[in-house]
Amino acid sequence: MASSENGRAALPADAIDGVLPRRVMEPDGPTEVAEVLTRATAEGWSTIVRGRGTKLGWGRAATTVDQVVSLARLVSPLVHRDGDLTATAGAGVRLADLNARLGEKGQWLPVESAFGDTSIGGLIATNESGPLRHRYGTPRDLLIGVTLALADGRVVKAGGTVVKNVAGYDLGRFISGSLGTLALVLDATFKLAPIPKSTTTVSWTFDSAGQLGAAVASLAASQLEPAAIDVRVEAGTSAPLHRTLLAGFGSSPGATTAQVQACCGLVPGGHVASGDEEFRIWREQVELPWRGGATVRFGWLPSALTDVVGLVESLARADVLCAFVGRAGVGAGLLRLDGTAAAQARAVERLRQSAVVRHVVVLEGSRELKASVDVWGAPVPWHQPLAALKRSLDPAGILGAGRGPL
Amino acid sequence: MTEGFLDELVAICGPDAVLREPVQLLTYECDALPHLRETPAAVVLPTSATAVQGVVRACARARVPFVARGHGTGLSGGALPVPGGVVISLARMNRVLHVDLPNRQVTVEPGVTNLEITRQVAPHGYYYAPDPSSQQVCSIGGNVAENSGGAHCLKYGFTVHHVLEVEAVLPNGDLVRIGSPCADAPGPDLLALIVGSEGTMAVVTKVVVRILRKPEAVQTLLAAYDSLSEAGTAVSEIIGAGIVPAAVEMMDALALRAAEAAVHPNFPPADTVLIVELDGPRAEVEELFATVQEICRRTGATVVEVAATDEHRMRIWRGRKAAFAAMGRISPNYYVQDGVVPRTKLPEVLGRIRALAERTGLGIGNVFHAGDGNLHPLICYDESVPGQAQLAEEVAGEILTYCVEAGGSITGEHGVGADKRDYMPRMFSDTDLAAMQLLRDAVDPHRLCNPGKVLPTPRLCGEVPGPYRRHPVEHAGLGERF
């Protein structure tokens, strides 16, 4: 591979699933990214894009990687248009840095990442979200414009900087969640939200999955408007079972208090937390699925929550320790499986055989686990048109190095 | 189109579902942008996804272009037929298939109207959020094609945020499900590419939408101002106070005069009227609504009228939603424009539009979604005056230039369609547009699915300019414009 002033030999820390890329490219601007990609397409070099590297484990195990293209140096632009409630950030800007900047004017990009270093590019590539998804949606719901570098080096824009805009195809939303297999994000523009002036969280613990499901159903049927409704189940073959429900409220101080009172009236026995305690509760909720083991993502119909919790508990009674966190209002969750790769694989297969959950994807896992199950599961029903779109955007098939989902 | 092909359509859809007589085709020549007209070779009215698939397969085999059509309320010529092509009307696929309250989802066929979804679930305390002004008559299939918004999308988003899954026939005739009623289907969001593609990538045959719990409280006020800039300041202060209203609408003097003449909403006399609606938990709405009232008074509102009853609120909204149609009461002809500017640029752009009105002598009424900067200038003209129709079109184009120069968009909700495809290069580079064409060709390599829409084609000599003309249905007194 030709040398370049923006390229270097890979270091051990650059390895992906234990595979060392031949080279790491660190372009410092959109033009340089385009040049790297033009060359890669011409030469047919398999290419993996990296933001800040927090979620590089997602996807199938890599076999050979010709190059990693790091976008960490794309830290501009960083523009906050507070009067318009929008912001534009380069792919390499950290979400935390963007939100620190937006917070100066009482606004934020209301998405959480489990990883402190998550970049804007990585956020879009993975569409990672947290409990606030209940109110604000996932990153793709807040994305209003992008600049992309296509595999052949063309730099294209789609969307814009206004919150309402239906001119042309929504490429930004389309490529969200594609893990860098369709195009590289150079910068992104989001609609923002005001930070609530006051927040409070109510938490409950339950003796049975049925009680937990009933409490969620009554919250969902009410006219309360929590920012998040999350569940947590920690279970294992020997450990005691914990089932927790969290409802987070955010509004003006008076309105938050009124909602919390109404919520406690609706589902009695809750513990009310605010300040540091509340911060710790949610941090724990966001980080818990990622502390070791394998992490599996899946969705379900919200009314099936009781069965989902039952399913998780039955896995735990088998041979793995489970830590499950779920967005109860949406029907989306993450399950951490601690145990041998074989036990993890059995759990993944059981989830896939169940009629209760769908879209079972292994996000993080050992090479051994990835060797025994396909991390993506069966192709989606709309795989064929997606494959055609992939061929158009990446005719040489360089992006993603076969790790999926495309 | 051969007789054999037409026979095939009859075999697929049935003899009463294939129209080919000129008088029958008349209704389908245009959508709600009636200056763009084409006569299709045939119109089919299938009643099942299988029949739609059969028609698309037949078209694909014979290389006949096809255009899907909902209820024809689009304002950008998105359902404009292709000469010699087939129009696939989905009007007869109008069943509500499944209401799932525990999961807050409703499954419908594409010909179901937007409002019908809310009607189905309202008795249980739920509603479907996107509310385009045409919601009584527009179809959900058309909403999916156009990614329709409405007055309340500032807080609740657009169609794309409320559609979970569609069943669709792709241009090659494959019938596929795209998206999922369960969250987190892996990979890129193909559904988001279909929604808002203006019927250029698929014909949707089934839609699963998300419904929302009705908010506990709604409060609406109307504030009258002596100047647009004062009203604009009020909007900035509301947003600056961290309030996201359900809707923020503005109407200027000319639009107010028209609305008064048409539906008598009894608005107070004003240069500009601001309508603000908050919804949510009662305690929150009450607290924030007091702040909004205080801001309105502080910024110079001469009257602040709070809707005390549902009926009062409906009257305010009737005045707002009827504004387009009402222009017909004060001007022989008018042209509805749709553009977007960053909200903070509203005063500047509206100033330019007022100067343009003075310079050209054409009245321009302004009705707009102030919260998200979506302008709807209504350009008044008289087509019996030589040159005025042409002038009106030039004025409409000039306004789009102002929007793009301010960092905005050539369309916020009406779509590009056939009407604005040649404005796309003002917003996007050749490379941007080539990438969009690349995606489209991947899904529709033979360019049969609603060709001539969204992406620009070289403008033809002698192309007819586009002032508003009455739809044949309006002419016959059978319907009114929304």
Side-chain angles (χ1 to χ4, degrees):
Chain A
M1 189 178 294
S3 68
S4 154
E5 58 185 285
N6 290 318
R8 60 170 173 80
L11 303 169
D14 296 311
I16 297 166
D17 284 326
V19 174
L20 208 58
R22 293 199 182 136
R23 191 162 194 85
V24 176
M25 306 302 289
E26 297 174 321
D28 53 10
T31 312
E32 291 72 21
V33 174
E35 284 168 7
V36 168
L37 290 175
T38 305
R39 182 83 199 274
T41 282
E43 305 284 349
W45 291 334
S46 64
T47 299
I48 286 177
V49 61
R50 182 171 83 190
R52 296 281 177 168
T54 61
K55 293 177 278 285
L56 268 190
W58 294 24
R60 295 189 188 102
T63 46
T64 57
V65 180
D66 290 324
Q67 62 177 1
V68 162
V69 179
S70 165
L71 300 183
R73 291 167 76 179
L74 300 187
V75 291
S76 68
L78 180 48
V79 182
H80 183 197
R81 304 171 203 88
D82 59 293
D84 296 321
L85 272 170
T86 64
T88 302
V93 172
R94 288 184 181 88
L95 173 64
D97 293 343
L98 175 65
N99 268 333
R101 173 79 172 273
L102 305 179
E104 291 169 11
K105 295 281 174 65
Q107 298 178 2
W108 62 345
L109 177 60
V111 292
E112 306 114 315
S113 171
F115 313 96
D117 264 350
T118 286
S119 67
I120 293 304
L123 193 68
I124 295 169
T126 57
N127 201 39
E128 186 194 358
S129 66
L132 284 171
R133 167 181 190 170
H134 180 78
R135 174 178 287 177
Y136 299 102
T138 61
R140 64 163 66 112
D141 293 311
L142 300 164
L143 185 64
I144 58 173
V146 282
T147 307
L148 302 174
L150 302 187
D152 64 4
R154 280 186 284 179
V155 173
V156 303
K157 282 179 183 290
T161 59
V162 283
V163 296
K164 194 172 183 183
N165 177 13
V166 293
Y169 301 133
D170 192 347
L171 270 66
R173 200 180 156 104
F174 169 54
I175 64 108
S176 295
S178 64
L179 290 186
T181 57
L182 293 173
L184 273 58
V185 176
L186 298 176
D187 65 52
T189 302
F190 296 95
K191 67 184 272 192
L192 308 174
I195 299 173
K197 293 189 168 59
S198 156
T199 65
T200 301
T201 292
V202 187
S203 64
W204 302 260
T205 55
F206 293 96
D207 291 334
S208 75
Q211 285 170 354
L212 172 63
V216 169
S218 68
L219 284 179
S222 77
Q223 287 172 309
L224 291 170
E225 294 189 14
I229 308 180
D230 251 41
V231 297
R232 182 195 307 169
V233 177
E234 292 163 274
T237 43
S238 57
L241 187 66
H242 291 286
R243 298 182 197 90
T244 308
L245 171 63
L246 302 168
F249 295 90
S251 183
S252 59
T256 301
T257 304
Q259 287 229 68
V260 167
Q261 277 174 358
C263 175
C264 290
L266 193 67
V267 183
H271 167 74
V272 176
S274 57
D276 287 347
E277 183 191 6
E278 183 187 23
F279 178 83
R280 280 195 304 274
I281 287 172
W282 288 110
R283 211 54 235 166
E284 172 73 9
Q285 185 75 356
V286 169
E287 291 175 359
L288 184 67
W290 303 98
R291 293 202 191 115
T295 307
V296 180
R297 185 181 68 189
F298 49 80
W300 64 87
L301 287 172
S303 66
L305 179 67
T306 302
D307 293 339
V308 173
V309 171
L311 176 64
V312 167
E313 292 176 6
S314 75
L315 295 179
R317 276 194 300 273
D319 52 359
V320 284
L321 291 163
C322 293
F324 168 67
V325 302
R327 320 281 100 92
V330 178
L334 295 167
L335 177 65
R336 194 183 87 214
L337 298 168
D338 294 328
T340 64
Q344 290 169 340
R346 282 194 295 276
V348 170
E349 291 303 340
R350 276 199 59 198
L351 288 167
R352 286 190 173 145
Q353 282 156 16
S354 154
V356 177
V357 296
R358 302 253 314 260
H359 315 312
V360 179
V361 170
V362 177
L363 295 177
E364 287 284 356
S366 62
R367 272 194 85 91
E368 202 182 345
L369 174 62
K370 289 182 178 186
S372 55
V373 294
D374 183 357
V375 303
W376 297 107
V380 291
W382 55 97
H383 176 75
Q384 278 194 341
L386 271 186
L389 287 158
K390 161 83 173 168
R391 283 193 297 276
S392 283
L393 287 171
D394 179 18
I398 60 163
L399 296 179
R403 301 181 72 213
L406 289 173
Chain B
M1 187 174 293
T2 63
E3 281 302 314
F5 181 77
L6 285 166
D7 290 345
E8 199 179 345
L9 295 183
V10 170
I12 294 162
C13 298
D16 66 333
V18 180
L19 312 180
R20 44 194 298 204
E21 297 303 324
V23 68
Q24 292 176 312
L25 299 178
L26 205 59
T27 313
Y28 299 89
E29 281 183 350
C30 61
D31 54 20
L33 193 73
H35 70 268
L36 297 179
R37 288 174 181 279
E38 295 290 357
T39 307
V43 175
V44 294
L45 294 140
T47 53
S48 71
T50 314
V52 174
Q53 183 182 30
V55 171
V56 172
R57 277 185 174 158
C59 288
R61 269 197 306 273
R63 298 283 192 265
V64 172
F66 54 91
V67 177
R69 177 185 170 103
H71 293 328
T73 59
L75 289 166
S76 57
L80 180 71
V82 178
V86 173
V87 167
I88 304 173
S89 166
L90 298 151
R92 290 184 185 172
M93 291 180 66
N94 58 0
R95 291 176 301 166
V96 175
L97 299 172
H98 184 50
V99 176
D100 179 358
L101 294 178
N103 291 306
R104 297 176 292 283
Q105 298 176 1
V106 178
T107 305
V108 296
E109 291 185 323
V112 168
T113 62
N114 172 296
L115 197 59
E116 181 60 25
I117 300 175
T118 293
R119 277 204 199 102
Q120 291 275 334
V121 298
H124 309 284
Y126 291 85
Y127 74 111
Y128 177 62
D131 62 337
S133 295
S134 57
Q135 68 184 134
Q136 292 184 44
V137 285
C138 64
S139 70
I140 197 71
N143 287 184
V144 168
E146 301 293 324
N147 191 18
S148 301
H152 292 81
C153 59
L154 173 64
K155 182 172 177 183
Y156 292 103
F158 312 95
T159 300
V160 73
H161 298 111
H162 298 274
V163 172
L164 300 170
E165 182 183 30
V166 297
E167 177 192 79
V169 179
L170 299 178
N172 65 2
D174 285 353
L175 182 67
V176 291
R177 298 187 78 95
I178 302 170
S180 170
C182 291
D184 284 341
D189 191 354
L190 182 60
L191 182 56
L193 194 61
I194 303 293
V195 176
S197 67
E198 305 193 16
T200 64
M201 293 204 177
V203 181
V204 167
T205 52
K206 201 183 283 178
V207 186
V208 182
V209 299
R210 181 166 87 95
I211 50 169
L212 301 184
R213 189 77 172 87
K214 202 172 158 226
E216 187 181 19
V218 182
Q219 291 212 302
T220 309
L221 69 72
L222 179 150
Y225 285 89
D226 287 335
S227 80
L228 198 83
S229 65
E230 287 172 337
T233 305
V235 177
S236 291
E237 292 206 10
I238 291 167
I239 303 283
I243 299 171
V244 180
V248 185
E249 303 282 303
M250 269 202 233
M251 296 169 71
D252 73 1
L254 192 58
L256 288 169
R257 190 150 64 81
E260 206 57 59
V263 295
H264 319 299
N266 205 18
F267 288 171
D271 174 82
T272 304
V273 149
L274 181 66
I275 299 167
V276 183
E277 185 161 288
L278 301 186
D279 68 13
R282 191 172 309 283
E284 178 180 294
V285 170
E286 279 171 5
E287 186 178 338
L288 300 182
F289 199 65
T291 307
V292 170
Q293 288 183 65
E294 199 269 315
I295 288 171
C296 289
R297 293 207 170 85
R298 194 174 65 232
T299 51
T302 54
V303 178
V304 176
E305 195 181 299
V306 174
T309 61
D310 274 355
E311 192 186 324
H312 192 176
R313 191 165 74 85
M314 297 309 282
R315 179 160 59 77
I316 291 174
W317 278 111
R318 199 163 58 238
R320 161 60 189 89
K321 291 200 174 184
F324 287 11
M327 289 318 271
R329 302 289 181 121
I330 61 164
S331 176
N333 311 91
Y334 66 96
Y335 191 112
V336 180
Q337 188 51 287
D338 166 43
V340 190
V341 298
R343 204 183 42 70
T344 49
K345 297 283 178 63
L346 274 173
E348 176 194 321
V349 172
L350 290 167
R352 291 184 79 180
I353 292 174
R354 285 197 172 178
L356 181 68
E358 280 166 27
R359 197 169 77 234
T360 57
L362 296 184
I364 304 178
N366 278 295
V367 179
F368 51 97
H369 310 297
D372 46 31
N374 187 192
L375 302 172
H376 290 307
L378 301 155
I379 301 145
C380 301
Y381 67 96
D382 183 347
E383 69 179 351
S384 68
V385 177
Q388 265 208 4
Q390 177 70 37
L391 182 62
E393 202 212 0
E394 287 165 16
V395 164
E398 180 80 7
I399 291 171
L400 291 187
T401 303
Y402 299 164
C403 291
V404 173
E405 284 174 359
S409 170
I410 60 169
T411 172
E413 55 187 4
H414 294 175
V416 176
D419 189 40
K420 288 187 176 171
R421 62 188 180 192
D422 294 324
Y423 290 101
M424 286 288 276
R426 296 195 193 181
M427 258 184 93
F428 297 106
S429 73
D430 289 349
T431 316
D432 302 339
L433 295 170
M436 290 184 195
Q437 185 72 59
L438 195 69
L439 295 182
R440 183 166 173 174
D441 286 345
V443 178
D444 179 24
H446 302 297
R447 301 192 176 182
L448 298 175
C449 190
N450 209 10
K453 316 292 160 61
V454 184
L455 297 174
T457 51
R459 191 178 272 270
L460 303 171
C461 293
E463 202 168 304
V464 183
Y468 164 67
R469 282 179 201 147
R470 288 172 82 195
H471 190 279
V473 172
E474 288 177 275
H475 257 298
L478 297 173
E480 224 185 325
R481 178 161 299 265
F482 286 84

